[in-house]
Amino acid sequence: NAGVTQTPKFHILKTGQSMTLQCAQDMNHGYMSWYRQDPGMGLRLIHYSVGEGTTAKGEVPDGYNVSRLKKQNFLLGLESAAPSQTSVYFCASSSNYEQYFGPGTRLTVT
Amino acid sequence: GQSLEQPSEVTAVEGAIVQINCTYQTSGFYGLSWYQQHDGGAPTFLSYNALDGLEETGRFSSFLSRSDSYGYLLLQELQMKDSASYFCAVGTGGFKTIFGAGTRLFVKA
């Protein structure tokens, strides 16, 4: 039982490039979320999903898109990366109030 | 807007008791959660309060007062491994969760 996994662990992007962060969970959870965490700040919700095929905007959705084609996967896309998107990205899944977090993806945009 | 306020840092001695407070102002409220995060690690769930009162889980307890929009996390018998950041989080409805900025706890020998 791997829990929540994220790929890649680290990545460096150039401004204007695009990429997709991947998240997978094997707990059959219905709810999945993407957060970003910046130094000295808490986790800010980017987008979330309450089920396969449904997504919704969180606190800071601009510059990101998401897709949830399968229940176990939640993808986060950066369309045209900007230095302000340098951050640690966490994916989380849950079936109720308790969220399980992945190990994070450390993304640097130069 | 929505906000959660918690102290940025707390320092305590090994073996002592420490309380981390959280006040919130959100458009909806569906429970207060607490998470622990060690440096370089992922947040892990500690506790949850949906109703007023105290919830106890081993050395950790969490309290909620909905009328005061206030809660706290109480850590007893502090150990060095408790040095970490602690986040309060509020479920605001539609399965959205808003996190506080976190409290960094330093445990000294």
Side-chain angles (χ1 to χ4, degrees):
Chain A
N1 197 352
V4 180
T5 57
Q6 292 182 234
T7 54
K9 286 187 169 49
F10 304 91
H11 197 79
I12 299 174
L13 266 184
K14 290 190 187 325
T15 297
Q17 288 183 328
S18 63
M19 84 166 291
T20 298
L21 307 187
Q22 302 195 19
C23 175
Q25 53 96 3
D26 62 3
M27 297 172 282
N28 201 34
H29 286 164
Y31 308 119
M32 297 186 76
S33 303
W34 275 105
Y35 295 89
R36 61 177 288 174
Q37 185 174 37
D38 301 298
M41 300 184 73
L43 297 132
R44 290 186 290 170
L45 182 65
I46 305 171
H47 285 281
Y48 63 102
S49 169
V50 299
E52 185 178 325
T54 70
T55 63
K57 293 180 180 180
E59 301 172 85
V60 289
D62 294 342
Y64 304 96
N65 57 70
V66 288
S67 66
R68 186 133 180 238
L69 300 179
K70 292 183 180 180
K71 188 177 184 180
Q72 64 267 33
N73 300 117
F74 196 29
L75 307 181
L76 178 71
L78 283 74
E79 298 152 345
S80 177
S84 60
Q85 294 178 302
T86 292
S87 189
V88 179
Y89 292 87
F90 287 100
C91 174
S93 75
S94 69
S95 59
N96 52 35
Y97 52 80
E98 179 176 352
Q99 295 193 63
Y100 293 80
F101 286 83
T105 294
R106 188 173 295 274
L107 180 67
T108 301
V109 183
T110 62
Chain B
Q2 307 197 89
S3 66
L4 282 77
E5 300 289 332
Q6 50 181 129
S8 58
E9 282 186 13
V10 172
T11 301
V13 177
E14 196 174 16
I17 298 172
V18 72
Q19 178 174 314
I20 299 174
N21 299 321
C22 174
T23 57
Y24 58 88
Q25 187 175 6
T26 57
S27 56
F29 181 83
Y30 289 86
L32 179 70
S33 301
W34 289 91
Y35 288 80
Q36 179 191 59
Q37 184 181 32
H38 287 97
D39 284 347
T44 57
F45 173 81
L46 288 177
S47 187
Y48 173 75
N49 296 70
L51 302 175
D52 291 354
L54 193 68
E55 293 284 340
E56 296 178 81
T57 309
R59 294 188 297 114
F60 300 116
S61 303
S62 58
F63 172 83
L64 174 65
S65 169
R66 287 175 296 170
S67 60
D68 295 322
S69 298
Y70 164 78
Y72 66 72
L73 179 69
L74 194 72
L75 295 83
Q76 302 182 75
E77 300 171 19
L78 279 175
Q79 303 175 9
M80 298 300 288
K81 68 178 182 180
D82 297 329
S83 292
S85 292
Y86 293 84
F87 297 90
C88 59
V90 168
T92 60
F95 209 70
K96 284 179 70 170
T97 303
I98 305 297
F99 281 75
T103 297
R104 195 164 176 86
L105 172 63
F106 297 94
V107 179
K108 301 195 298 185

